[in-house]
Amino acid sequence: AAAPAASPYGWLVTVNAKGVLSPKFAGASRLGFAGYPTLSFRRPGAPVIWSSPDDSIDFALIRTERLALGPALNFRSGRSARDNPELAGVHRTRWTLEGGVFADLWLLPNALRARAELRRGFRREDGLVASLGADYVTQVGAWTLALGPRLKLADARFMRLHFGVTADDAARNPRFAPYRPGSSLYAVGLYASATHRINDQWSYTLHGGYDRLRGAAAASPIVKQAGSRNQFTLGAVLSYTFGW
């Protein structure tokens, strides 16, 4: 049999156009839209490695058939009274970039993935946050389907920033009583995605998730009086791959 022709390209580049509806801030009842592009690279002949749309941006410094380790980066939006006028007088939170590390472990090759991320925002007040999840991935014709649970944890600094109410906040807006939460497992949820591969160049992904705030987050006056314990995310990704 004839050997397959070598690829004329050094890299395959995938450009992703992403759009997502998600809570305007942690604990919000209203959704906001964000759209942004991303890039990914792989060598010709290298397998396409599945990732979930809710993964942080990452780069694997170590990668084997079952394990990947490396840095991760996530964007977190801020909060102000413009997002919800009921929060007038309550301290605002600024947008931040959370840097950290990730680990992927394929418990069953190409079928069952566990993932952990540990991240910290670049500002002193941002605090530390961790996410844990697992995904069952299966192929149905041209579709790749995935579904799995999610857990979110944070230290006291993160919880106070996003769910706490200071004495000054309460003085400016008496509707909210002072509240000082500690570190907590603050959300449990589920995430699903469906990717359709049209051809070697084009594909699209539909995805969505649900988180239920719990513990210290669910008890926050911000959530109970001006937000919601139910946190929904809906999104779509259009991807185009070309040789470089």
Side-chain angles (χ1 to χ4, degrees), residues 197-214:
R197 187 178 180 86
I198 301 170
N199 52 42
D200 288 343
Q201 285 77 44
W202 290 96
S203 67
Y204 63 88
T205 300
L206 305 175
H207 60 95
Y210 169 73
D211 282 332
R212 176 74 169 174
L213 298 183
R214 63 170 306 281

Side-chain angles (χ1 to χ4, degrees), residues 141-190:
W143 289 88
T144 301
L145 308 177
L147 177 68
R150 298 291 188 268
L151 299 175
K152 296 179 180 179
L153 308 92
D155 69 359
R157 182 168 289 172
F158 177 95
M159 295 296 293
R160 289 195 295 268
L161 178 65
H162 292 279
F163 300 107
V165 178
T166 68
D168 288 342
D169 294 340
R172 289 189 295 262
N173 189 335
R175 179 183 179 184
F176 298 98
Y179 181 66
R180 187 178 174 85
S183 57
S184 175
L185 167 64
Y186 74 89
V188 296
L190 196 67

Side-chain angles (χ1 to χ4, degrees), residues 73-138:
L73 184 69
N74 182 61
F75 172 81
R76 187 175 297 277
S77 60
R79 181 193 72 206
S80 72
R82 289 183 300 176
D83 299 311
N84 187 339
E86 296 177 77
L87 294 173
V90 177
H91 70 276
R92 71 182 184 94
T93 65
R94 294 181 289 177
W95 68 268
T96 191
L97 293 175
E98 297 173 341
V101 295
F102 85 97
D104 284 346
L105 177 63
W106 286 93
L107 303 171
L108 296 175
N110 302 315
L112 183 60
R113 186 198 73 160
R115 182 180 176 93
E117 296 184 16
L118 182 64
R119 308 182 307 271
R120 194 193 190 290
F122 72 91
R123 295 188 177 95
R124 182 177 181 272
E125 70 267 23
D126 288 335
L128 193 67
V129 64
S131 60
L132 304 172
D135 296 276
Y136 177 71
V137 185
T138 188

